Amino acid sequence: MTETETSGNTETETSGWTTDRRHGSVHWRRLAFLGKGVTVGVIGGMAAFTYSLADLMTVSIDPVFVLVPLALSGVFAHLVAYDLHESIRVGLVGFFVGAVTLVGSWVAPLWILPYTSGARDILLPKLTGTAIVAAIIVYGAVYLGAYLSALTVGAYVST
């Protein structure tokens, strides 16, 4: 933190990743990182959903190839940000939006298809539990692993 002397008052300026005032208005920055985070989160969440339910795929490919867009969403969460501060924001928003997308797309057929309310009451806890486990194991591991790897490589390259 640097200090500048102005007319007898000491004014502090923060530098580094703790402030990003130089990058435009507050509303534009919030809209930008939310848009980036939601985009990478939805892509990652749908890729994790496709991997977890690979038996529903119409194309006969190895389900491991579906992990590539999931990992790329974690990498892009770091690459689309202009600095570390925004990268962390985009990464967190992307992680939580992707987890909600995965769980939501797993449970959505209960309301899209013509299930009775009794069938929904029976199936909802089981499907939600399975979706949360898939979100933690598949989505969390691959997305956060790719994101943290991109952070590490970015830090190594920048020094």
Side-chain angles (χ1 to χ4, degrees), residues 14-25 29 82-84:
T14 57
S15 61
W17 71 281
T18 59
T19 184
D20 52 0
R21 278 186 275 165
R22 66 187 183 279
H23 296 290
S25 71
R29 287 193 315 262
Y82 58 83
D83 63 355
L84 182 61

Side-chain angles (χ1 to χ4, degrees), residues 13-73:
E13 294 177 3
T14 57
S15 61
W17 71 281
T18 59
T19 184
D20 52 0
R21 278 186 275 165
R22 66 187 183 279
H23 296 290
S25 71
V26 174
H27 300 297
W28 176 251
R29 287 193 315 262
R30 285 183 186 153
L31 184 64
F33 86 79
L34 283 175
K36 293 171 187 177
V38 167
T39 302
V40 297
V42 168
I43 291 170
M46 289 309 297
F49 173 73
T50 305
Y51 173 77
S52 298
L53 292 175
D55 53 339
L56 297 178
M57 288 193 326
T58 58
V59 181
S60 61
I61 61 170
D62 189 13
V64 175
F65 290 127
V66 180
L67 292 178
V68 172
L70 174 56
L72 285 177
S73 69

Side-chain angles (χ1 to χ4, degrees), residues 90-148:
V90 171
L92 287 174
V93 169
F95 177 75
F96 289 115
V97 167
V100 168
T101 300
L102 172 62
V103 173
S105 60
W106 202 303
V107 177
L110 292 178
W111 284 273
I112 294 173
L113 298 174
Y115 284 103
T116 64
S117 62
R120 277 190 204 115
D121 292 342
I122 293 171
L123 291 173
L124 186 62
K126 181 184 183 318
L127 287 179
T128 305
T130 306
I132 290 172
V133 168
I136 291 170
I137 293 175
V138 175
Y139 182 74
V142 176
Y143 178 87
L144 289 176
Y147 174 73
L148 294 174

